[in-house]
Amino acid sequence: GENVEQHPSTLSVQEGDSAVIKCTYSDSASNYFPWYKQELGKRPQLIIDIRSNVGEKKDQRIAVTLNKTAKHFSLHITETQPEDSAVYFCAASLYNFNKFYFGSGTKLNVKP
Amino acid sequence: DGGITQSPKYLFRKEGQNVTLSCEQNLNHDAMYWYRQDPGQGLRLIYYSQIVNDFQKGDIAEGYSVSREKKESFPLTVTSAQKNPTAFYLCASRRDREITEAFFGQGTRLTVV
């Protein structure tokens, strides 16, 4: 099955700096890679996703890059704000997918 | 707010008791999932279902059971066989056979007392 590894487990940045979270996956057949943000005590919510036919996707301050050859994908947050503080999860799934495989999460702390 | 509802939000169980967590969605999604969340361990899949009356074990199914009698509902029973049931449980749903996001419920925090 798929194995998704996520790093770092915690990340602390100063407000206005950039943050990068990286994930690797093991199954080359995986073709959908969402990122979820979970605020304390709340449900995970999708913030951005990317499909395997695309190398990069941006949405305002958030971007995701995918390297299919190396089997890794990354979340980039620019101009971080205190409200970006949360736990972020990456995930991978196959086209005929029954399952999402999640990374272990990154706790991002943006210091004002 | 996402159309997927879990209840209750907090649940306390005595050791040796079974307890059932509710998950209902009105999104007309075919696939539904149950995840367990422990600190520092991400989301681990317990069970999933792609269609009514069918479900599959995930990575940590031991001590849990589910049913899928209706498309809208996917209840999870935590049995007394689950050795360490205290955790945050998340239900999710997704349109099947499409590359789409999963929508999560607000979660149920189960505590064994």
Side-chain angles (χ1 to χ4, degrees):
Chain A
E2 175 67 279
N3 180 44
V4 178
E5 294 191 357
Q6 183 171 346
H7 301 279
S9 57
T10 59
L11 179 60
S12 188
V13 300
Q14 205 66 39
E15 182 178 0
D17 289 349
S18 295
V20 180
I21 302 170
K22 299 181 179 181
C23 288
T24 61
Y25 61 99
S26 60
D27 193 333
S28 57
S30 290
N31 66 348
Y32 176 61
F33 308 93
W35 285 89
Y36 285 84
K37 174 184 180 182
Q38 185 179 30
E39 297 178 359
L40 189 62
K42 296 189 177 181
R43 71 185 81 194
Q45 293 193 305
L46 181 78
I47 55 171
I48 196 167
D49 57 12
I50 191 167
R51 290 157 174 70
S52 59
N53 59 347
V54 176
E56 184 177 4
K57 184 177 179 181
K58 288 184 179 180
D59 183 3
Q60 299 183 349
R61 297 186 296 108
I62 295 172
V64 56
T65 58
L66 171 64
N67 184 325
K68 289 170 54 181
T69 303
K71 290 188 284 188
H72 68 70
F73 56 111
S74 299
L75 177 70
H76 304 254
I77 305 175
T78 59
E79 301 173 19
T80 53
Q81 301 167 3
E83 51 264 40
D84 294 329
S85 296
V87 178
Y88 292 81
F89 292 98
C90 63
S93 68
L94 301 171
Y95 171 70
N96 184 22
F97 51 143
N98 307 324
K99 308 179 187 180
F100 284 90
Y101 295 89
F102 283 88
S104 55
T106 296
K107 185 175 182 180
L108 174 64
N109 179 37
V110 180
K111 295 178 286 185
Chain B
D1 187 14
I4 179 166
T5 303
Q6 288 183 242
S7 61
K9 189 172 182 180
Y10 300 98
L11 188 57
F12 296 88
R13 189 195 91 174
K14 292 183 179 179
E15 284 193 25
Q17 287 183 337
N18 293 355
V19 64
T20 297
L21 283 59
S22 170
C23 179
E24 304 277 335
Q25 54 97 2
N26 61 3
L27 300 168
N28 198 33
H29 286 173
D30 293 302
M32 296 187 74
Y33 307 82
W34 274 105
Y35 289 92
R36 170 178 171 142
Q37 187 174 23
D38 295 284
Q41 293 195 45
L43 304 177
R44 293 186 290 167
L45 183 64
I46 305 172
Y47 268 98
Y48 63 100
S49 168
Q50 289 182 277
I51 195 170
V52 174
N53 293 323
D54 185 58
F55 47 83
Q56 305 295 328
K57 291 183 179 180
D59 302 316
I60 56 165
E62 185 176 353
Y64 300 97
S65 66
V66 294
S67 63
R68 187 85 186 276
E69 298 178 0
K70 299 186 299 182
K71 187 175 185 179
E72 305 79 25
S73 179
F74 191 41
L76 173 75
T77 297
V78 184
T79 75
S80 57
Q82 170 49 237
K83 300 303 180 187
N84 184 22
T86 295
F88 189 55
Y89 291 88
L90 284 162
C91 178
S93 71
R94 182 182 60 80
R95 284 202 307 267
D96 198 10
R97 305 193 184 283
E98 295 183 29
I99 303 177
T100 60
E101 68 179 285
F103 290 86
F104 284 87
Q106 71 270 40
T108 294
R109 185 165 298 279
L110 173 64
T111 303
V112 174
V113 296

